[in-house]
Amino acid sequence: MDLEDQANVNRLAETSGTDDMVVLLGQPDANSAGLFAETVTRGDPTWAGPLAGVPLGLPVYHVLEPEIKEQMDGDLYDEHVGLMELSADVDEIIKWVAVCRD
Amino acid sequence: MNPLGPTPAILHASYVLAHAPDLVRYGSKPVREIGRDPSLLPQVTGSLRPWDEVVAYPPNQVFIGNLVPDDLASIPRPWYENRIDPAGSEGPFGRMVTQPALYGLMKLCDDFDLLAIDGELADQAGADLADFDHRRGRITGVDPAELRAMAEASNGLDLHQDGRRAGFIRTVHDQDESLSASVLLENLVCKATAVLAVSDLLRRARLAAGEIDYLLNCGEEAVGDRYQRGGGSLSKAVGEVVGCVNATGSDVKAFCSAPVHALIAAGAMVAAGVHRYVVVLGGGSQAKLGMKFGAHLRSGVPVMEDCLASMAFLVGPTGADGDGMGLRLDLAGKHPIGAGSSPKAVYEALVVEPLVRAGLRMTDIDRYAVEMHNPEITEPGGSGDVPKTNYRTLAAMAVLRREIERGDMDRFVAERGMPGFAPTQGHIPAGVPYLGHALEAMRHGSLDRAMIVAKGSLFLGRMTQLVDGVSFVVERPGSRPS
């Protein structure tokens, strides 16, 4: 997760609190989805950004997870996510995001 | 194809890797991080690879053409441990040069005495640069005491070789950031590496520099002073050093997709009869050296962003001997402003639309070249395997279009894609690293048609949220049924 995104997440957490905050990821592979999920839960594992050593513990989901998909308009989902749903290793992505979330 | 003018072709390609371990510390990311924590510098320098390991690194051997991308697919990872032996620094369409040669190139490109190097380095550099007899006299050294005095009297940056201060680049104007030593260093290495690529290109093409009519630079440097930062042109500056006395030139700026924009423009110039020979060139990106060094250190892998990359392409009329590969301007693709930025919208515009326009299917393209970033460099930082993701997306498009079955996606990726082998040098990886391989394969008759697809992150400049993209198809002469 780049430093600007980390700073934005950190700022929102500090100014608005984390009670009503959910992070939604869209990375196309398990490795980067896992790294991003870890960043917003346990802190930046690369120790490079504002979330280094900041375990926000935010609930984090991937856009490919069924509980996210079922809340979205079907046509819009197909337009923006359909191609990734077909091309990505969905099970692996969900597994790694869930590991961080749980 | 074009009854009004010559059919344009990409006639030759050249790629250069300049080993620059002592410039890694001045990459944008390292310079900021080392400034905050100086203890990082010895960690960085201790994780850099020596010259022989850089030469033997399999992706680098693919970049200059000694291996084909399919060879790389069969070499187990990590590639930095599975080096090629023996490995040469010269390939069929490229070469690697040492850091002393790079410093020497910078010195012979230095028209304003921005740079001083010591005598020992000048001697090392001169031996490697036989192509530049008309300028080699500029590679002169100063004695270490003079270098020390210069560094003490001026603002600027020390340049290192073999653990010693071996050079110095000065700030020209203390109140003009665009003429600071760090920006001038970026511009000078870009010019120097582009000069070597163009020189190498013409040598391989056996074409006199005076035959070139026009130069199109597509590098990512920002030449200019404070009143026109980024507005300047590097193309003519490069052509001057190489000796293209009959050429003028201009620069095409479009982030990573600039080389493909430039090649389409070059082809159009040739087809329209405006110019006979056009060179598209792009120099290396100093800012991106060591960009992911933090992730590399933490992962215990070498700091692999240790080379500046450059490239040059000769575009001209298809020769009577059928040499080169046809540039199908009728199959040029673009991502229009109104197309939307979802992956589906981007690939519809760049890949599907031009093919459908010509009555072709995705499976009529033998190979696709997308962003060819080396995954070994990008994965430790969480950026994933960029080419693999792109090829999977292309395969998914083919499924949606009912050209292949879902179960055939892996085969589509294996047959029409390739592993990433390009250094993460901005505009360099965007499809065009495959052009040298495509030329060789078409000369041998093993490839009929390839599509080059480039995307650019326009949003990085904070002036628009848009992405960009362009594409074209290259074709083996005579491969189309008449």
PDB file of all heavy atoms in Angstrom, chain A residues 3-4 28-29 31-32 35-36 45-48 78-80 83 85-87, chain B residues 29 298 342-344 379 382 384 389 392-393 396-397 399-400 406 409 462:
ATOM      1  N   LEU A   3       2.336   5.124   0.324  1.00  0.00           N
ATOM      2  CA  LEU A   3       2.389   5.935   1.539  1.00  0.00           C
ATOM      3  C   LEU A   3       1.192   6.881   1.637  1.00  0.00           C
ATOM      4  O   LEU A   3       0.690   7.160   2.733  1.00  0.00           O
ATOM      5  CB  LEU A   3       3.694   6.729   1.568  1.00  0.00           C
ATOM      6  CG  LEU A   3       4.982   5.898   1.396  1.00  0.00           C
ATOM      7  CD1 LEU A   3       6.208   6.735   1.674  1.00  0.00           C
ATOM      8  CD2 LEU A   3       4.962   4.659   2.287  1.00  0.00           C
ATOM      9  N   GLU A   4       0.729   7.360   0.483  1.00  0.00           N
ATOM     10  CA  GLU A   4      -0.391   8.299   0.492  1.00  0.00           C
ATOM     11  C   GLU A   4      -1.673   7.604   0.979  1.00  0.00           C
ATOM     12  O   GLU A   4      -2.416   8.152   1.795  1.00  0.00           O
ATOM     13  CB  GLU A   4      -0.581   8.869  -0.914  1.00  0.00           C
ATOM     14  CG  GLU A   4      -1.540  10.043  -0.977  1.00  0.00           C
ATOM     15  CD  GLU A   4      -1.611  10.632  -2.374  1.00  0.00           C
ATOM     16  OE1 GLU A   4      -0.620  10.564  -3.108  1.00  0.00           O
ATOM     17  OE2 GLU A   4      -2.688  11.146  -2.729  1.00  0.00           O
ATOM     18  N   PRO A  28      -5.349  -7.514  -7.525  1.00  0.00           N
ATOM     19  CA  PRO A  28      -5.677  -8.638  -8.407  1.00  0.00           C
ATOM     20  C   PRO A  28      -4.963  -9.936  -8.062  1.00  0.00           C
ATOM     21  O   PRO A  28      -5.163 -10.934  -8.737  1.00  0.00           O
ATOM     22  CB  PRO A  28      -5.215  -8.135  -9.782  1.00  0.00           C
ATOM     23  CG  PRO A  28      -4.083  -7.209  -9.477  1.00  0.00           C
ATOM     24  CD  PRO A  28      -4.384  -6.594  -8.146  1.00  0.00           C
ATOM     25  N   ASP A  29      -4.106  -9.951  -7.024  1.00  0.00           N
ATOM     26  CA  ASP A  29      -3.437 -11.210  -6.687  1.00  0.00           C
ATOM     27  C   ASP A  29      -3.351 -11.357  -5.168  1.00  0.00           C
ATOM     28  O   ASP A  29      -3.437 -10.372  -4.418  1.00  0.00           O
ATOM     29  CB  ASP A  29      -2.042 -11.283  -7.320  1.00  0.00           C
ATOM     30  CG  ASP A  29      -1.112 -10.236  -6.766  1.00  0.00           C
ATOM     31  OD1 ASP A  29      -1.117  -9.104  -7.275  1.00  0.00           O
ATOM     32  OD2 ASP A  29      -0.395 -10.546  -5.808  1.00  0.00           O
ATOM     33  N   ASN A  31      -0.925 -12.219  -3.143  1.00  0.00           N
ATOM     34  CA  ASN A  31       0.242 -11.672  -2.446  1.00  0.00           C
ATOM     35  C   ASN A  31       0.021 -10.215  -2.068  1.00  0.00           C
ATOM     36  O   ASN A  31       0.195  -9.813  -0.915  1.00  0.00           O
ATOM     37  CB  ASN A  31       1.471 -11.835  -3.363  1.00  0.00           C
ATOM     38  CG  ASN A  31       2.721 -11.241  -2.753  1.00  0.00           C
ATOM     39  OD1 ASN A  31       3.014 -10.088  -2.990  1.00  0.00           O
ATOM     40  ND2 ASN A  31       3.439 -12.024  -1.970  1.00  0.00           N
ATOM     41  N   SER A  32      -0.369  -9.407  -3.026  1.00  0.00           N
ATOM     42  CA  SER A  32      -0.532  -7.981  -2.716  1.00  0.00           C
ATOM     43  C   SER A  32      -1.794  -7.744  -1.887  1.00  0.00           C
ATOM     44  O   SER A  32      -1.800  -6.883  -1.003  1.00  0.00           O
ATOM     45  CB  SER A  32      -0.527  -7.130  -3.993  1.00  0.00           C
ATOM     46  OG  SER A  32      -1.358  -7.653  -4.963  1.00  0.00           O
ATOM     47  N   LEU A  35      -0.773  -8.400   1.632  1.00  0.00           N
ATOM     48  CA  LEU A  35       0.062  -7.324   2.179  1.00  0.00           C
ATOM     49  C   LEU A  35      -0.780  -6.100   2.558  1.00  0.00           C
ATOM     50  O   LEU A  35      -0.583  -5.489   3.611  1.00  0.00           O
ATOM     51  CB  LEU A  35       1.113  -6.906   1.146  1.00  0.00           C
ATOM     52  CG  LEU A  35       2.431  -7.681   1.142  1.00  0.00           C
ATOM     53  CD1 LEU A  35       3.288  -7.257  -0.044  1.00  0.00           C
ATOM     54  CD2 LEU A  35       3.189  -7.450   2.432  1.00  0.00           C
ATOM     55  N   PHE A  36      -1.718  -5.757   1.681  1.00  0.00           N
ATOM     56  CA  PHE A  36      -2.573  -4.599   1.956  1.00  0.00           C
ATOM     57  C   PHE A  36      -3.441  -4.872   3.189  1.00  0.00           C
ATOM     58  O   PHE A  36      -3.629  -3.997   4.037  1.00  0.00           O
ATOM     59  CB  PHE A  36      -3.463  -4.290   0.743  1.00  0.00           C
ATOM     60  CG  PHE A  36      -2.794  -3.455  -0.312  1.00  0.00           C
ATOM     61  CD1 PHE A  36      -1.565  -3.808  -0.841  1.00  0.00           C
ATOM     62  CD2 PHE A  36      -3.401  -2.311  -0.793  1.00  0.00           C
ATOM     63  CE1 PHE A  36      -0.942  -3.052  -1.821  1.00  0.00           C
ATOM     64  CE2 PHE A  36      -2.797  -1.525  -1.767  1.00  0.00           C
ATOM     65  CZ  PHE A  36      -1.566  -1.905  -2.282  1.00  0.00           C
ATOM     66  N   PRO A  45       3.707  -4.054   7.065  1.00  0.00           N
ATOM     67  CA  PRO A  45       4.769  -5.053   7.267  1.00  0.00           C
ATOM     68  C   PRO A  45       6.084  -4.646   6.610  1.00  0.00           C
ATOM     69  O   PRO A  45       7.121  -5.225   6.917  1.00  0.00           O
ATOM     70  CB  PRO A  45       4.202  -6.318   6.597  1.00  0.00           C
ATOM     71  CG  PRO A  45       3.221  -5.822   5.595  1.00  0.00           C
ATOM     72  CD  PRO A  45       2.667  -4.529   6.139  1.00  0.00           C
ATOM     73  N   THR A  46       6.045  -3.664   5.713  1.00  0.00           N
ATOM     74  CA  THR A  46       7.296  -3.220   5.081  1.00  0.00           C
ATOM     75  C   THR A  46       7.970  -2.128   5.907  1.00  0.00           C
ATOM     76  O   THR A  46       9.066  -1.693   5.589  1.00  0.00           O
ATOM     77  CB  THR A  46       7.035  -2.682   3.658  1.00  0.00           C
ATOM     78  OG1 THR A  46       6.312  -1.441   3.745  1.00  0.00           O
ATOM     79  CG2 THR A  46       6.241  -3.661   2.817  1.00  0.00           C
ATOM     80  N   TRP A  47       7.317  -1.668   6.944  1.00  0.00           N
ATOM     81  CA  TRP A  47       7.858  -0.628   7.825  1.00  0.00           C
ATOM     82  C   TRP A  47       8.313   0.602   7.053  1.00  0.00           C
ATOM     83  O   TRP A  47       9.318   1.221   7.386  1.00  0.00           O
ATOM     84  CB  TRP A  47       8.996  -1.196   8.700  1.00  0.00           C
ATOM     85  CG  TRP A  47       8.452  -2.075   9.774  1.00  0.00           C
ATOM     86  CD1 TRP A  47       8.185  -3.398   9.673  1.00  0.00           C
ATOM     87  CD2 TRP A  47       8.043  -1.678  11.098  1.00  0.00           C
ATOM     88  NE1 TRP A  47       7.630  -3.868  10.849  1.00  0.00           N
ATOM     89  CE2 TRP A  47       7.541  -2.827  11.745  1.00  0.00           C
ATOM     90  CE3 TRP A  47       8.049  -0.459  11.793  1.00  0.00           C
ATOM     91  CZ2 TRP A  47       7.046  -2.814  13.041  1.00  0.00           C
ATOM     92  CZ3 TRP A  47       7.579  -0.441  13.091  1.00  0.00           C
ATOM     93  CH2 TRP A  47       7.077  -1.606  13.702  1.00  0.00           C
ATOM     94  N   ALA A  48       7.557   0.952   6.019  1.00  0.00           N
ATOM     95  CA  ALA A  48       7.957   2.106   5.203  1.00  0.00           C
ATOM     96  C   ALA A  48       6.986   3.273   5.360  1.00  0.00           C
ATOM     97  O   ALA A  48       7.358   4.415   5.151  1.00  0.00           O
ATOM     98  CB  ALA A  48       8.031   1.702   3.736  1.00  0.00           C
ATOM     99  N   ASP A  78     -20.350  -6.423 -12.779  1.00  0.00           N
ATOM    100  CA  ASP A  78     -19.793  -7.080 -13.972  1.00  0.00           C
ATOM    101  C   ASP A  78     -18.893  -6.139 -14.752  1.00  0.00           C
ATOM    102  O   ASP A  78     -17.843  -6.529 -15.257  1.00  0.00           O
ATOM    103  CB  ASP A  78     -20.938  -7.556 -14.882  1.00  0.00           C
ATOM    104  CG  ASP A  78     -21.560  -8.832 -14.339  1.00  0.00           C
ATOM    105  OD1 ASP A  78     -20.939  -9.445 -13.447  1.00  0.00           O
ATOM    106  OD2 ASP A  78     -22.665  -9.183 -14.794  1.00  0.00           O
ATOM    107  N   GLU A  79     -19.320  -4.876 -14.860  1.00  0.00           N
ATOM    108  CA  GLU A  79     -18.554  -3.897 -15.629  1.00  0.00           C
ATOM    109  C   GLU A  79     -17.182  -3.668 -15.009  1.00  0.00           C
ATOM    110  O   GLU A  79     -16.167  -3.631 -15.696  1.00  0.00           O
ATOM    111  CB  GLU A  79     -19.349  -2.575 -15.690  1.00  0.00           C
ATOM    112  CG  GLU A  79     -18.586  -1.369 -16.238  1.00  0.00           C
ATOM    113  CD  GLU A  79     -18.247  -1.502 -17.723  1.00  0.00           C
ATOM    114  OE1 GLU A  79     -18.946  -2.259 -18.404  1.00  0.00           O
ATOM    115  OE2 GLU A  79     -17.278  -0.860 -18.156  1.00  0.00           O
ATOM    116  N   HIS A  80     -17.138  -3.524 -13.699  1.00  0.00           N
ATOM    117  CA  HIS A  80     -15.885  -3.111 -13.065  1.00  0.00           C
ATOM    118  C   HIS A  80     -15.083  -4.263 -12.454  1.00  0.00           C
ATOM    119  O   HIS A  80     -13.875  -4.153 -12.309  1.00  0.00           O
ATOM    120  CB  HIS A  80     -16.168  -2.056 -11.976  1.00  0.00           C
ATOM    121  CG  HIS A  80     -16.558  -0.729 -12.547  1.00  0.00           C
ATOM    122  ND1 HIS A  80     -15.638   0.215 -12.911  1.00  0.00           N
ATOM    123  CD2 HIS A  80     -17.770  -0.219 -12.869  1.00  0.00           C
ATOM    124  CE1 HIS A  80     -16.250   1.277 -13.413  1.00  0.00           C
ATOM    125  NE2 HIS A  80     -17.560   1.035 -13.402  1.00  0.00           N
ATOM    126  N   LEU A  83     -14.179  -8.901 -14.962  1.00  0.00           N
ATOM    127  CA  LEU A  83     -12.979  -9.413 -15.610  1.00  0.00           C
ATOM    128  C   LEU A  83     -11.985  -9.953 -14.580  1.00  0.00           C
ATOM    129  O   LEU A  83     -11.382 -11.008 -14.781  1.00  0.00           O
ATOM    130  CB  LEU A  83     -12.333  -8.278 -16.419  1.00  0.00           C
ATOM    131  CG  LEU A  83     -11.502  -8.667 -17.622  1.00  0.00           C
ATOM    132  CD1 LEU A  83     -12.287  -9.524 -18.599  1.00  0.00           C
ATOM    133  CD2 LEU A  83     -10.991  -7.406 -18.323  1.00  0.00           C
ATOM    134  N   GLU A  85     -12.789 -11.060 -11.626  1.00  0.00           N
ATOM    135  CA  GLU A  85     -13.393 -12.255 -11.029  1.00  0.00           C
ATOM    136  C   GLU A  85     -13.062 -13.496 -11.869  1.00  0.00           C
ATOM    137  O   GLU A  85     -12.828 -14.581 -11.351  1.00  0.00           O
ATOM    138  CB  GLU A  85     -14.914 -12.063 -10.940  1.00  0.00           C
ATOM    139  CG  GLU A  85     -15.620 -13.113 -10.123  1.00  0.00           C
ATOM    140  CD  GLU A  85     -17.114 -12.815 -10.014  1.00  0.00           C
ATOM    141  OE1 GLU A  85     -17.673 -12.215 -10.958  1.00  0.00           O
ATOM    142  OE2 GLU A  85     -17.711 -13.169  -8.987  1.00  0.00           O
ATOM    143  N   LEU A  86     -12.995 -13.271 -13.180  1.00  0.00           N
ATOM    144  CA  LEU A  86     -12.712 -14.370 -14.100  1.00  0.00           C
ATOM    145  C   LEU A  86     -11.222 -14.709 -14.140  1.00  0.00           C
ATOM    146  O   LEU A  86     -10.832 -15.861 -14.295  1.00  0.00           O
ATOM    147  CB  LEU A  86     -13.187 -13.962 -15.503  1.00  0.00           C
ATOM    148  CG  LEU A  86     -13.342 -15.021 -16.571  1.00  0.00           C
ATOM    149  CD1 LEU A  86     -14.255 -16.144 -16.105  1.00  0.00           C
ATOM    150  CD2 LEU A  86     -13.917 -14.377 -17.839  1.00  0.00           C
ATOM    151  N   SER A  87     -10.377 -13.679 -13.996  1.00  0.00           N
ATOM    152  CA  SER A  87      -8.950 -13.898 -14.221  1.00  0.00           C
ATOM    153  C   SER A  87      -8.160 -14.166 -12.935  1.00  0.00           C
ATOM    154  O   SER A  87      -7.097 -14.779 -12.979  1.00  0.00           O
ATOM    155  CB  SER A  87      -8.336 -12.690 -14.931  1.00  0.00           C
ATOM    156  OG  SER A  87      -8.462 -11.523 -14.149  1.00  0.00           O
TER     157      SER A  87
ATOM    158  N   LYS B  29      13.626   7.246  -4.092  1.00  0.00           N
ATOM    159  CA  LYS B  29      13.273   6.607  -2.811  1.00  0.00           C
ATOM    160  C   LYS B  29      14.489   6.496  -1.887  1.00  0.00           C
ATOM    161  O   LYS B  29      14.417   6.921  -0.718  1.00  0.00           O
ATOM    162  CB  LYS B  29      12.679   5.221  -3.095  1.00  0.00           C
ATOM    163  CG  LYS B  29      12.165   4.501  -1.882  1.00  0.00           C
ATOM    164  CD  LYS B  29      10.829   5.013  -1.469  1.00  0.00           C
ATOM    165  CE  LYS B  29      10.230   4.161  -0.369  1.00  0.00           C
ATOM    166  NZ  LYS B  29       9.005   4.776   0.133  1.00  0.00           N
ATOM    167  N   ARG B 298      14.274  -5.971   3.256  1.00  0.00           N
ATOM    168  CA  ARG B 298      13.497  -6.723   4.240  1.00  0.00           C
ATOM    169  C   ARG B 298      13.294  -8.180   3.817  1.00  0.00           C
ATOM    170  O   ARG B 298      13.172  -9.068   4.638  1.00  0.00           O
ATOM    171  CB  ARG B 298      12.146  -6.043   4.495  1.00  0.00           C
ATOM    172  CG  ARG B 298      12.230  -4.879   5.459  1.00  0.00           C
ATOM    173  CD  ARG B 298      10.860  -4.299   5.722  1.00  0.00           C
ATOM    174  NE  ARG B 298      10.303  -3.700   4.532  1.00  0.00           N
ATOM    175  CZ  ARG B 298      10.559  -2.462   4.131  1.00  0.00           C
ATOM    176  NH1 ARG B 298      11.350  -1.697   4.845  1.00  0.00           N
ATOM    177  NH2 ARG B 298      10.027  -1.980   3.038  1.00  0.00           N
ATOM    178  N   SER B 342     -12.293   1.038 -16.145  1.00  0.00           N
ATOM    179  CA  SER B 342     -12.306  -0.334 -15.637  1.00  0.00           C
ATOM    180  C   SER B 342     -11.413  -1.180 -16.538  1.00  0.00           C
ATOM    181  O   SER B 342     -11.220  -0.858 -17.723  1.00  0.00           O
ATOM    182  CB  SER B 342     -13.732  -0.896 -15.643  1.00  0.00           C
ATOM    183  OG  SER B 342     -14.154  -1.125 -16.975  1.00  0.00           O
ATOM    184  N   PRO B 343     -10.825  -2.263 -15.989  1.00  0.00           N
ATOM    185  CA  PRO B 343      -9.969  -3.109 -16.826  1.00  0.00           C
ATOM    186  C   PRO B 343     -10.664  -3.554 -18.107  1.00  0.00           C
ATOM    187  O   PRO B 343     -10.067  -3.598 -19.177  1.00  0.00           O
ATOM    188  CB  PRO B 343      -9.654  -4.300 -15.914  1.00  0.00           C
ATOM    189  CG  PRO B 343      -9.796  -3.766 -14.527  1.00  0.00           C
ATOM    190  CD  PRO B 343     -10.878  -2.731 -14.600  1.00  0.00           C
ATOM    191  N   LYS B 344     -11.948  -3.854 -17.980  1.00  0.00           N
ATOM    192  CA  LYS B 344     -12.689  -4.303 -19.157  1.00  0.00           C
ATOM    193  C   LYS B 344     -12.729  -3.201 -20.212  1.00  0.00           C
ATOM    194  O   LYS B 344     -12.503  -3.440 -21.400  1.00  0.00           O
ATOM    195  CB  LYS B 344     -14.109  -4.695 -18.736  1.00  0.00           C
ATOM    196  CG  LYS B 344     -14.902  -5.382 -19.819  1.00  0.00           C
ATOM    197  CD  LYS B 344     -16.250  -5.799 -19.265  1.00  0.00           C
ATOM    198  CE  LYS B 344     -17.127  -6.378 -20.357  1.00  0.00           C
ATOM    199  NZ  LYS B 344     -18.483  -6.598 -19.882  1.00  0.00           N
ATOM    200  N   GLU B 379       7.448  -8.093  -6.797  1.00  0.00           N
ATOM    201  CA  GLU B 379       6.682  -8.895  -5.827  1.00  0.00           C
ATOM    202  C   GLU B 379       7.031  -8.603  -4.362  1.00  0.00           C
ATOM    203  O   GLU B 379       6.127  -8.528  -3.525  1.00  0.00           O
ATOM    204  CB  GLU B 379       6.820 -10.383  -6.145  1.00  0.00           C
ATOM    205  CG  GLU B 379       5.944 -10.801  -7.322  1.00  0.00           C
ATOM    206  CD  GLU B 379       6.147 -12.245  -7.724  1.00  0.00           C
ATOM    207  OE1 GLU B 379       7.167 -12.838  -7.317  1.00  0.00           O
ATOM    208  OE2 GLU B 379       5.300 -12.770  -8.475  1.00  0.00           O
ATOM    209  N   GLY B 382       4.905  -5.921  -2.843  1.00  0.00           N
ATOM    210  CA  GLY B 382       3.453  -6.053  -2.849  1.00  0.00           C
ATOM    211  C   GLY B 382       2.797  -5.631  -4.150  1.00  0.00           C
ATOM    212  O   GLY B 382       1.576  -5.511  -4.227  1.00  0.00           O
ATOM    213  N   GLY B 384       2.925  -7.379  -6.901  1.00  0.00           N
ATOM    214  CA  GLY B 384       2.508  -8.569  -7.626  1.00  0.00           C
ATOM    215  C   GLY B 384       3.286  -8.792  -8.920  1.00  0.00           C
ATOM    216  O   GLY B 384       4.267  -8.108  -9.198  1.00  0.00           O
ATOM    217  N   THR B 389      -0.702 -10.773 -14.271  1.00  0.00           N
ATOM    218  CA  THR B 389      -2.052 -10.239 -14.053  1.00  0.00           C
ATOM    219  C   THR B 389      -2.649  -9.729 -15.357  1.00  0.00           C
ATOM    220  O   THR B 389      -3.825  -9.968 -15.665  1.00  0.00           O
ATOM    221  CB  THR B 389      -1.994  -9.086 -13.018  1.00  0.00           C
ATOM    222  OG1 THR B 389      -1.497  -9.608 -11.786  1.00  0.00           O
ATOM    223  CG2 THR B 389      -3.369  -8.476 -12.798  1.00  0.00           C
ATOM    224  N   ARG B 392      -3.564 -12.707 -17.612  1.00  0.00           N
ATOM    225  CA  ARG B 392      -4.789 -13.365 -17.129  1.00  0.00           C
ATOM    226  C   ARG B 392      -6.022 -12.542 -17.522  1.00  0.00           C
ATOM    227  O   ARG B 392      -7.059 -13.091 -17.893  1.00  0.00           O
ATOM    228  CB  ARG B 392      -4.754 -13.512 -15.599  1.00  0.00           C
ATOM    229  CG  ARG B 392      -3.670 -14.407 -15.048  1.00  0.00           C
ATOM    230  CD  ARG B 392      -3.973 -15.868 -15.129  1.00  0.00           C
ATOM    231  NE  ARG B 392      -5.263 -16.254 -14.551  1.00  0.00           N
ATOM    232  CZ  ARG B 392      -5.792 -17.468 -14.695  1.00  0.00           C
ATOM    233  NH1 ARG B 392      -5.151 -18.387 -15.404  1.00  0.00           N
ATOM    234  NH2 ARG B 392      -6.951 -17.756 -14.141  1.00  0.00           N
ATOM    235  N   THR B 393      -5.872 -11.225 -17.432  1.00  0.00           N
ATOM    236  CA  THR B 393      -6.996 -10.358 -17.795  1.00  0.00           C
ATOM    237  C   THR B 393      -7.302 -10.470 -19.290  1.00  0.00           C
ATOM    238  O   THR B 393      -8.471 -10.519 -19.700  1.00  0.00           O
ATOM    239  CB  THR B 393      -6.678  -8.894 -17.416  1.00  0.00           C
ATOM    240  OG1 THR B 393      -6.300  -8.851 -16.036  1.00  0.00           O
ATOM    241  CG2 THR B 393      -7.869  -7.987 -17.636  1.00  0.00           C
ATOM    242  N   ALA B 396      -9.091 -13.626 -19.851  1.00  0.00           N
ATOM    243  CA  ALA B 396     -10.489 -13.504 -19.418  1.00  0.00           C
ATOM    244  C   ALA B 396     -11.310 -12.775 -20.473  1.00  0.00           C
ATOM    245  O   ALA B 396     -12.485 -13.111 -20.708  1.00  0.00           O
ATOM    246  CB  ALA B 396     -10.553 -12.770 -18.075  1.00  0.00           C
ATOM    247  N   MET B 397     -10.697 -11.777 -21.109  1.00  0.00           N
ATOM    248  CA  MET B 397     -11.403 -11.086 -22.197  1.00  0.00           C
ATOM    249  C   MET B 397     -11.738 -12.068 -23.324  1.00  0.00           C
ATOM    250  O   MET B 397     -12.832 -12.035 -23.903  1.00  0.00           O
ATOM    251  CB  MET B 397     -10.518  -9.958 -22.775  1.00  0.00           C
ATOM    252  CG  MET B 397     -10.385  -8.732 -21.923  1.00  0.00           C
ATOM    253  SD  MET B 397     -11.900  -7.773 -21.758  1.00  0.00           S
ATOM    254  CE  MET B 397     -12.130  -7.147 -23.394  1.00  0.00           C
ATOM    255  N   VAL B 399     -12.226 -15.197 -23.010  1.00  0.00           N
ATOM    256  CA  VAL B 399     -13.325 -16.061 -22.546  1.00  0.00           C
ATOM    257  C   VAL B 399     -14.663 -15.337 -22.712  1.00  0.00           C
ATOM    258  O   VAL B 399     -15.633 -15.898 -23.235  1.00  0.00           O
ATOM    259  CB  VAL B 399     -13.112 -16.472 -21.069  1.00  0.00           C
ATOM    260  CG1 VAL B 399     -14.339 -17.210 -20.531  1.00  0.00           C
ATOM    261  CG2 VAL B 399     -11.868 -17.341 -20.919  1.00  0.00           C
ATOM    262  N   LEU B 400     -14.707 -14.093 -22.256  1.00  0.00           N
ATOM    263  CA  LEU B 400     -15.945 -13.317 -22.362  1.00  0.00           C
ATOM    264  C   LEU B 400     -16.398 -13.186 -23.814  1.00  0.00           C
ATOM    265  O   LEU B 400     -17.587 -13.138 -24.106  1.00  0.00           O
ATOM    266  CB  LEU B 400     -15.750 -11.924 -21.757  1.00  0.00           C
ATOM    267  CG  LEU B 400     -15.621 -11.823 -20.240  1.00  0.00           C
ATOM    268  CD1 LEU B 400     -15.432 -10.376 -19.814  1.00  0.00           C
ATOM    269  CD2 LEU B 400     -16.845 -12.424 -19.544  1.00  0.00           C
ATOM    270  N   ARG B 406     -13.039 -21.311 -20.687  1.00  0.00           N
ATOM    271  CA  ARG B 406     -12.422 -20.889 -19.432  1.00  0.00           C
ATOM    272  C   ARG B 406     -11.248 -21.803 -19.049  1.00  0.00           C
ATOM    273  O   ARG B 406     -10.231 -21.360 -18.520  1.00  0.00           O
ATOM    274  CB  ARG B 406     -13.476 -20.867 -18.328  1.00  0.00           C
ATOM    275  CG  ARG B 406     -12.950 -20.247 -17.063  1.00  0.00           C
ATOM    276  CD  ARG B 406     -14.034 -19.942 -16.072  1.00  0.00           C
ATOM    277  NE  ARG B 406     -13.447 -19.283 -14.915  1.00  0.00           N
ATOM    278  CZ  ARG B 406     -14.148 -18.784 -13.924  1.00  0.00           C
ATOM    279  NH1 ARG B 406     -15.462 -18.850 -13.943  1.00  0.00           N
ATOM    280  NH2 ARG B 406     -13.546 -18.208 -12.904  1.00  0.00           N
ATOM    281  N   MET B 409      -7.628 -20.862 -20.308  1.00  0.00           N
ATOM    282  CA  MET B 409      -6.986 -19.582 -19.982  1.00  0.00           C
ATOM    283  C   MET B 409      -5.491 -19.739 -19.725  1.00  0.00           C
ATOM    284  O   MET B 409      -4.679 -18.931 -20.187  1.00  0.00           O
ATOM    285  CB  MET B 409      -7.671 -18.948 -18.763  1.00  0.00           C
ATOM    286  CG  MET B 409      -9.021 -18.316 -19.095  1.00  0.00           C
ATOM    287  SD  MET B 409      -9.879 -17.667 -17.635  1.00  0.00           S
ATOM    288  CE  MET B 409      -8.782 -16.365 -17.111  1.00  0.00           C
ATOM    289  N   ARG B 462      -1.327  14.192 -10.833  1.00  0.00           N
ATOM    290  CA  ARG B 462      -2.403  14.876 -10.099  1.00  0.00           C
ATOM    291  C   ARG B 462      -3.130  15.925 -10.935  1.00  0.00           C
ATOM    292  O   ARG B 462      -3.692  16.875 -10.400  1.00  0.00           O
ATOM    293  CB  ARG B 462      -1.875  15.529  -8.802  1.00  0.00           C
ATOM    294  CG  ARG B 462      -1.128  14.594  -7.857  1.00  0.00           C
ATOM    295  CD  ARG B 462      -1.994  13.440  -7.380  1.00  0.00           C
ATOM    296  NE  ARG B 462      -1.428  12.769  -6.220  1.00  0.00           N
ATOM    297  CZ  ARG B 462      -0.593  11.718  -6.274  1.00  0.00           C
ATOM    298  NH1 ARG B 462      -0.227  11.231  -7.448  1.00  0.00           N
ATOM    299  NH2 ARG B 462      -0.153  11.152  -5.168  1.00  0.00           N
TER     300      ARG B 462
END
